[in-house]
Amino acid sequence: MALLPLMAACGQQSDQKQNTETAKDMPKVYSISMNEICKEWDGQWQGQTVASDGCCYFGSSTHSKSHGAGFHKFDPTTYEHTMIAEDMTLVCGEQDTPSQQGKIHSPIVEADGWLYFCTHLSNYWDEGIANYTGAHVFGYEMATGQFRDYGIVKPRYSIYSAIGVDPQRKKIYAFLVPFLPELYENDGCHLYSIDMESGEKEDLGMVVEGRKAAAFWFFIDNNGKVWFTLWKRNYEYVNDRGNLYCYDPEKGAIETYDDVLPKGQLIDGTPVNDFQLTQRAWTWLSPLKDNTKCYFTMGALGGGDERLWLFDPSKDIASGEAFEEVAAIGSNYFQTAVGGDRLYFIQYESLEDERNLFSEDEREIDPASPEYVDRKLHLRSISLAEGADHGVITDHGPVIDQEGRAARMIMSMSADDKGHVFTYGSWHVNSFKEATLQYLLFDYPGGDLYKLLKRGEFFTVIDTNK
């Protein structure tokens, strides 16, 4: 668990000043091509935050069997992009393994000047899963540029994908998930804690037995309780249709509140009855600064509940009193962030499209097709402050950058209190120099294949003041 200096961790540091102009001279939507740095980065889910130093820290992920995730920093005052680590597999010391640490598919959370996040396997085909060593938990000290590798939490298990910190008790929490059939058929998903100082790891108990699962977010309240839900779009659970789970460190046990989460509704109040669309799981979450409450949504990739909620664990959970509806915003997913007193989210211009389209499929549509032309993504927001405009949706316009490129899918997003919204996602490309080179073995089981796609990965800053 030694500290890893930045230079030793990634071989070299890349300080890329994308533009030396001041922020006020920059366009409203400014993007940086990630694939001009690494062709194999092909997506990013979660893995982004605005830290206390005012900078945005973010990951860049891959499905490659030869290249892992990147870790980056962007300063909105200078528009300077710094690549902290190009390949987290190297930072893990696993460059000779046949399965990469290909993703930072977790929240990035901060405590006492450190950022904490975890890795996730890159290649989902049989060879990659069979050879995966296991997910690492990392700390990154912003002042020194050093990584601390807490190591593999549970051998051959990934983290999918929640991580959280309790700075008072010096604990890190992670949701461990097996992807190898022999593991999830004979075991299941576990909640773990890691001591920030000693690195000691503790299995706090099995959450789901005998199957894969996912928990995307933890809410760790001011009493140190760890609250979470289970994602339901891809998985079904025998005893969970709307459960809320809580690990209480005082009791040392995981408690289950059965079937308590709100039932799904559309923006106009129409009930959502499709089980997979109703979710009844936290698909986006943001705690209040004092950690007494948290905002959450239960949208999905095409459908789901269309409201913003506030969860207050001090109120009665079984009766529903703990869940307060804040606003009706339409369907959403990871492309959501709190900045200051505003909630920002990205949706298709048509809420009907947002409700029915799976953006991961839509990003593959040829940009010359009519379907693509008619489906623009817009940045929208609502005020969270009390007042006349509380909950009123503001449309900040289509997400089109300084070179006329259009966003096609956004699944990683954060915001600051100065009106900056940061995104990472798949965009239209103006040249193949900007395009993703994606590894497609799982689509072509006969052999290795890389394909240059008609889209690329871009990090973007949107200045809503302009």
Side-chain angles (χ1 to χ4, degrees), residues 84-106:
I84 297 172
E86 182 179 341
D87 191 334
M88 290 303 298
T89 308
L90 305 182
V91 184
C92 293
E94 297 183 3
Q95 55 268 28
D96 296 326
T97 63
S99 187
Q100 302 296 297
Q101 300 290 347
K103 301 180 182 67
I104 299 173
H105 189 334
S106 76

Side-chain angles (χ1 to χ4, degrees), residues 200-225:
E200 181 182 357
K201 302 172 180 67
E202 182 181 359
D203 187 347
L204 303 178
M206 186 186 298
V207 180
V208 179
E209 181 179 358
R211 60 183 60 81
K212 291 185 287 185
F216 292 139
W217 309 93
F218 290 144
F219 168 47
I220 301 178
D221 68 22
N222 58 337
N223 295 312
K225 293 183 177 181

Side-chain angles (χ1 to χ4, degrees), residues 42-43 363 377 406-410 424-428 455-458:
D42 64 1
R363 67 177 175 168
L377 291 172
R408 305 178 71 168
M409 184 183 80
I410 303 296
Y424 189 113
S426 301
W427 287 60
H428 167 71
R455 59 171 170 84
E457 297 301 305
F458 289 80

Side-chain angles (χ1 to χ4, degrees), residues 97-99 126-134 156 180:
T97 63
S99 187
D126 293 344
E127 177 193 13
I129 292 173
N131 288 286
Y132 188 54
T133 58
R156 306 183 78 187
L180 191 66

